[in-house]
Amino acid sequence: MNRPVNDMQLKVLRWVADGADIDNPPNDTFKMSAGALRDRKLIKVSKSNGKWDATITEIGTYYLEHGRYPQTNRAPFNRRRNQLPKPRTAPSKSPKDPTAVTSKPEPTPTAPHKSPDVIDIPTQLRRPHKAVREIIDHKARLEVPKEQQQRALLILHALAQEAIRRDWIVTPNPSTFRRDPWTDRRTKVSPGADLFTIDAGDKPVAIRLRMRQKRVDHELTEKEIADKERYRWSFAPKYDFVQTERMRLEIRESSSNAYVIEDTVATQIEDKLTRAVEGIAAASVKERELVERRRQRDIEIAEERRRAEILRQHAERYGSWFDTLDQLRSDLAHHSELADTVDRLRHAVRLRGPDDEDFCALGEYLAWSERHLDASDPLRTIRLPHGERPDLSYEEWREWSRRNPRR
C-alpha cells in the first residue's frame, strides 16, 4: 500500500526534482526524508566515492504533477488461455424472431454548457505556482480548519493559475525562518495575513483567505471569575470572535480597502471566483484612473502657476511705471516748494536794500538759489521707467496688489 507523503517529504521530493543541490538542502533532516521517499520508489539514492546523490523516478515525477500515486489497477488475467477475459454479452435475438424487441440507441449525454467566464476549480494541486507552494509548505498560514485546508489551497491555486493565464504578476509572500539559539532548530515564521499578491498591471493587491468570524458574548473563565470575586475588578473582554463555517476571500488594495467574496447559503467562493478576478482587474483600472486624475491635476496646477507668473510680471511692470510716475510727482511737489522758498528769499533781499551790510552776500546766495532752482526742475530731464508699456488695466493691477501686498 502506498503511504502518503507529508509536507517535509514533499519538499525534499521537489528539491530532488530540481537537481538535489547538496550545498543548499531544504532542511537539516533531508536524508531521513529521502530514505522514506526511496522506500516509496519515488526517488533513487546512491552514494559513490563518499558523495551522496539522489534522482527522481517516474513515479516521483507523476506524484509531483498529479499529487497522487499512479493508478496500478489491472484487469484479471486468464491463465487458461493467457488472454484477458472477454466481457459476457446477452444473447441477441434474431430479427426474424417476432418476440425480439428492437430498442433505440440511447442518446449520449452531452457535457453541460459552461460559460466562458467561469473559472475551473481543479481537483488536484498540479504544478502550483511558487506563491501557492509557499503556502503548501507552511499550511499554518491558512486561518481555516484542517478539513478546509485542501479546499482553500485549490481556490488559491485556481486564482493564481487564472492570473498567470491573463499574464498578470503573481508575487509570493514567503515565510521566514527563525533559528533557536539553544537547540539550533529552525522554525518557520509567518510573514502576516497576506498570502501573496497579484498585479494586473498597475495595482498589486494582497490575497487573504480565512474563515468568516462572528461576534459572541464573552463567557468568563474560572480565573476571571475568581479575580472578579477577589479583587472586585476584571479585565475580561466583552466579546469574543469565533470562526464560522463560511470561508472568506479578501482582495485588499490597502489596509482599509478590501473587496470581499464569501460563502453564502446558496453559493460558495468557487462559484464566484470570476468576481475576484474582476475585482483584481478593477483595482488596476481604478489606479490608472487615479494616476490620470493626478496627471491632469498637475497639468492644471502648472498652467495656473504659469498664468500667475505672467500676471506677476505684468503687475511688476505696471508697478515700475507707477513708481516712476509717483517719484516724478514727489519731485514736482518738492520743486514747487523750493520755488516758493526762492521767491520769498528774493522778496526778503529786495526789502533789505543796498544799504544792508550783507546785501552783497545775500545777492550771491539768491543768484545761486535761482540757478539751482532752474537746474533742479524735474521736467527738464524726465526719468523714464524700464521695460515695455504695461498691458494691465488699473483695476487689474489694484486687485493684484491687494492680493499680493508688498512686504
Side-chain angles (χ1 to χ4, degrees):
M1 181 177 65
N2 295 325
R3 290 172 292 176
V5 176
N6 57 33
D7 295 341
M8 188 69 69
Q9 295 168 354
L10 183 60
K11 191 170 184 180
V12 174
L13 183 60
R14 294 198 189 99
W15 173 72
V16 173
D18 293 338
D21 186 4
I22 197 66
D23 296 329
N24 297 300
N27 50 57
D28 297 335
T29 59
F30 69 96
K31 290 186 178 181
M32 186 180 300
S33 300
L37 297 173
R38 179 195 57 197
D39 297 340
R40 293 168 174 82
K41 298 182 180 180
L42 298 176
I43 65 172
K44 294 181 180 179
V45 179
S46 62
K47 188 174 183 181
S48 60
N49 298 328
K51 184 179 179 181
W52 188 91
D53 191 18
T55 56
I56 193 167
T57 62
E58 294 182 0
I59 300 177
T61 304
Y62 185 93
Y63 192 93
L64 283 180
E65 294 179 353
H66 301 83
R68 58 180 175 83
Y69 291 95
Q71 298 291 340
T72 57
N73 296 332
R74 297 181 179 178
F77 189 74
N78 192 340
R79 295 183 178 179
R80 294 178 58 186
R81 298 183 180 179
N82 296 332
Q83 297 178 359
L84 295 176
K86 297 182 179 179
R88 295 183 179 180
T89 57
S92 60
K93 297 184 179 180
S94 173
K96 297 181 180 180
D97 191 352
T99 61
V101 179
T102 59
S103 59
K104 297 182 180 180
E106 297 181 358
T108 56
T110 59
H113 177 69
K114 184 180 66 173
S115 173
D117 295 334
V118 176
I119 298 176
D120 292 331
I121 305 298
T123 58
Q124 295 178 355
L125 294 170
R126 298 180 180 179
R127 297 182 180 180
H129 188 270
K130 185 178 180 181
V132 181
R133 187 178 298 176
E134 286 284 345
I135 305 170
I136 296 175
D137 295 339
H138 191 190
K139 294 181 181 178
R141 296 175 56 182
L142 291 173
E143 300 179 14
V144 299
K146 190 173 182 180
E147 60 273 11
Q148 293 278 2
Q149 287 183 355
Q150 183 66 14
R151 179 196 170 200
L153 291 173
L154 291 174
I155 292 174
L156 296 175
H157 177 56
L159 186 60
Q161 293 298 323
E162 180 64 20
I164 296 172
R165 189 184 69 83
R166 295 170 180 257
D167 292 332
W168 294 350
I169 300 175
V170 181
T171 306
N173 188 19
S175 303
T176 57
F177 286 91
R178 181 175 58 193
R179 188 179 295 274
D180 192 322
W182 300 101
T183 62
D184 202 32
R185 296 185 61 182
R186 297 194 306 171
T187 306
K188 279 192 174 182
V189 180
S190 173
D194 296 343
L195 301 177
F196 54 87
T197 60
I198 299 178
D199 188 357
D202 296 275
K203 179 65 176 180
V205 295
I207 306 300
R208 294 185 181 182
L209 188 65
R210 60 185 179 88
M211 304 304 292
R212 183 182 178 184
Q213 296 180 340
K214 67 177 181 180
R215 190 180 71 176
V216 297
D217 294 334
H218 176 72
E219 295 182 2
L220 296 178
T221 62
E222 296 181 358
K223 183 179 183 305
E224 291 171 346
I225 295 175
D227 291 341
K228 188 174 182 180
E229 293 178 353
R230 182 177 180 181
Y231 303 107
R232 297 183 180 179
W233 52 259
S234 175
F235 293 109
K238 188 176 180 180
Y239 301 104
D240 288 333
F241 293 89
V242 297
Q243 291 184 350
T244 62
E245 296 180 354
R246 298 182 181 181
M247 194 172 292
R248 178 187 181 99
L249 177 64
E250 298 180 5
I251 313 297
R252 303 191 70 87
E253 300 180 20
S254 61
S255 59
S256 59
N257 188 10
Y259 180 71
V260 178
I261 299 174
E262 59 185 22
D263 295 336
T264 60
V265 177
T267 61
Q268 291 184 328
I269 294 177
E270 293 86 341
D271 306 326
K272 301 174 284 188
L273 205 58
T274 305
R275 291 167 53 186
V277 176
E278 294 173 353
I280 297 173
S284 290
V285 173
K286 188 189 303 182
E287 182 67 17
R288 284 194 294 269
E289 293 175 352
L290 179 61
V291 171
E292 180 62 22
R293 287 197 299 268
R294 289 175 179 173
R295 190 182 70 85
Q296 293 295 336
R297 180 55 183 163
D298 292 341
I299 293 175
E300 294 175 359
I301 293 175
E303 181 64 19
E304 292 175 0
R305 289 177 178 176
R306 187 187 67 83
R307 293 179 179 179
E309 179 62 20
I310 294 175
L311 181 60
R312 183 191 64 81
Q313 295 175 1
H314 291 178
E316 288 184 352
R317 191 186 311 161
Y318 193 104
S320 175
W321 282 53
F322 174 80
D323 292 342
T324 303
L325 182 62
D326 188 64
Q327 184 64 38
L328 180 59
R329 177 198 61 80
S330 178
D331 294 343
L332 289 175
H334 178 71
H335 187 268
S336 177
E337 294 175 358
L338 188 62
D340 183 61
T341 302
V342 172
D343 287 342
R344 296 180 66 178
L345 177 61
R346 185 183 300 111
H347 180 69
V349 172
R350 189 179 298 124
L351 289 179
R352 292 197 178 192
D355 296 336
D356 191 278
E357 59 181 1
D358 295 328
F359 182 76
C360 294
L362 289 173
E364 292 179 1
Y365 182 60
L366 177 61
W368 178 87
S369 299
E370 290 174 346
R371 288 194 302 272
H372 172 74
L373 179 64
D374 183 63
S376 62
D377 187 0
L379 298 178
R380 292 188 63 180
T381 55
I382 300 176
R383 185 167 62 89
L384 296 177
H386 299 286
E388 299 178 356
R389 177 179 176 178
D391 51 1
L392 284 183
S393 65
Y394 173 71
E395 296 296 334
E396 293 174 342
W397 175 75
R398 188 175 64 174
E399 179 65 20
W400 185 89
S401 300
R402 184 183 64 83
R403 294 183 178 180
N404 302 272
R406 295 183 179 182
R407 297 180 180 178

